[in-house]
Amino acid sequence: MKVCSIFRSGHFLFLLCLFAMEGKKSPTGKHTCRKGLLSQVTENLYIKATSLKSSVPKDLIKTTRLLKKTTKIMFMTNCSVRDQLLSFYVKNVFSRLEVGSDKLYFISAFQVLQANMDACLPCAPSTRLTSAVKKLKRMFLKLGDKGIYKAVHELDILLPWIQAYIQT
């Protein structure tokens, strides 16, 4: 079992490195779009999400959701929401977790995903926080540490959104 886990981690790291190299800027200075690798990295994030979720306390708040259905619609159609939501997870959620290899994989993978999603569908950077992400962040901060646990456990919601967006 341990060998299988090591293989998966090694396989994931290899894909992440390959993905990062493939997504580097071309001689023209633009990132190249690699949708196939986006899907592979997202699928591997599903595997890593399981161990990441098991490393944080269980989400006991059942009456509140950070990632709402209306946010999904905006995530699928608005590049600013996509970019800000991925940045939110990197800066506000993963950065507050204890240091561990799963955390580093998620931060790296989310940053690479973000860069490559932008290469596939360029988006003008937004200087203002979108209302969807503003509401999410407000609720997250209101929950304190429990907000971190809730956000990590809601990766089960976010990852399918990312996969669905990549496939469209």
Side-chain angles (χ1 to χ4, degrees), residues 33 35 38-39 75-77 82 117 120-121 160-168:
C33 176
K35 281 196 175 186
L38 275 171
S39 291
F75 180 87
M76 298 301 280
T77 58
R82 271 190 308 278
M117 285 172 77
C120 291
L121 228 113
W161 293 2
I162 294 170
Q163 192 70 39
Y165 172 72
I166 291 167
Q167 292 173 351
T168 58

Side-chain angles (χ1 to χ4, degrees), residues 129-148:
L129 206 56
T130 59
S131 63
V133 176
K134 195 182 292 186
K135 288 176 188 174
L136 178 140
K137 193 171 183 178
R138 192 177 312 125
M139 179 57 69
F140 173 81
L141 293 172
K142 182 179 174 185
L143 294 173
D145 284 346
K146 292 177 184 175
I148 299 167

Side-chain angles (χ1 to χ4, degrees), residues 22-35:
E22 290 285 341
K24 295 283 186 203
K25 289 184 179 178
S26 67
T28 62
K30 294 185 177 184
H31 280 87
T32 56
C33 176
R34 306 294 296 176
K35 281 196 175 186

Side-chain angles (χ1 to χ4, degrees), residues 14-28:
F14 170 75
L15 281 173
L16 191 57
C17 291
L18 179 63
F19 188 53
M21 288 187 320
E22 290 285 341
K24 295 283 186 203
K25 289 184 179 178
S26 67
T28 62

